[in-house]
């Protein structure tokens, strides 16, 4: 499996502009909107995991025949907002959506709800993969859960 990584500054508050740049496999935390944009903007830009941005990411993945992992503010059915990451396969299908479980500092806690302890492992191109977001990796139990579930 070939993996491409993108690490760079998003264009703050520019969801369409950031989606045009999404030509790589793994994008940073909160890639679609920028990270430290404040609660009012997070509330305005948060979308469901199958919202308009997700549909556009799926189109990009399908058009370029690549899988994409991207971070975004997710608005859940109950209105809670999560710092989330979604994996879209090369056919434009959502394979996995993960919500950050360990919020870092007041900045995270002022904008997001902590995700449930749900650590899915999915198959991508013959590989079993799981997702974590930034600070989540600092907690060994998170990676242990993924490994025990078969993540490679």
């Amino acid at each position: 499996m070939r993996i491409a990584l993108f690490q760079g500054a998003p264009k703050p508050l520019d969801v369409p502009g950031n989606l045009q740049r999404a030509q790589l496999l793994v994008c940073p935390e909160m890639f679609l909107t920028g990270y430290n944009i404040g609660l009012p903007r997070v509330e305005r830009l948060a979308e469901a995991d199958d919202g308009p941005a997700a549909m556009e990411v799926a189109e990009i993945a399908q058009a370029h025949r690549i899988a994409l992992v991207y971070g975004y503010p997710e608005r859940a059915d109950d209105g809670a907002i999560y710092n989330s990451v979604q994996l879209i396969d090369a056919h434009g299908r959502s394979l996995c959506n993960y919500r950050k479980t360990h919020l870092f500092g007041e900045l995270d806690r002022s904008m997001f709800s902590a995700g449930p302890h749900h650590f899915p492992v999915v198959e991508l191109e013959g590989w079993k993969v799981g997702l974590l977001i930034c600070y989540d990796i600092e907690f060994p139990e998170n990676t242990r859960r993924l490994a025990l579930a078969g993540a490679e």
Side-chain angles (χ1 to χ4, degrees), residues 10-144:
K11 297 176 181 176
L13 311 177
D14 185 4
V15 173
N18 286 323
L19 286 173
Q20 288 179 344
R21 295 172 11 164
Q23 298 176 0
L24 302 164
L25 180 61
V26 179
C27 299
E29 177 179 14
M30 296 299 293
F31 174 74
L32 289 187
T33 61
Y35 179 68
N36 185 7
I37 62 172
L39 181 59
R41 291 177 177 134
V42 166
E43 290 175 331
R44 181 169 48 86
L45 295 171
E47 293 185 8
D49 63 355
D50 62 351
M55 296 298 102
E56 192 165 344
V57 170
E59 289 174 14
I60 291 168
Q62 193 170 20
H64 294 282
R65 297 188 317 242
I66 60 171
L68 289 169
V69 175
Y70 68 97
Y72 72 107
E74 177 193 1
R75 183 179 307 281
D77 290 340
D78 65 1
I81 298 175
Y82 297 95
N83 179 337
S84 296
V85 64
Q86 185 155 205
L87 169 59
I88 306 287
D89 74 10
H91 302 287
R93 295 179 300 230
S94 174
L95 297 183
C96 182
N97 191 72
Y98 170 75
R99 297 169 174 169
K100 188 174 186 179
T101 58
H102 291 82
L103 303 178
F104 183 78
E106 186 55 34
L107 178 64
D108 265 4
R109 289 190 289 278
S110 71
M111 294 187 291
F112 306 109
S113 296
H117 287 267
H118 174 66
F119 300 90
V121 173
V122 297
E123 187 173 319
L124 176 66
E125 302 293 329
W127 291 80
K128 296 207 182 256
V129 298
L131 302 171
L132 294 174
I133 300 172
C134 194
Y135 191 50
D136 288 339
I137 197 73
E138 299 294 326
F139 297 85
E141 189 59 28
N142 291 344
T143 53
R144 182 177 182 275

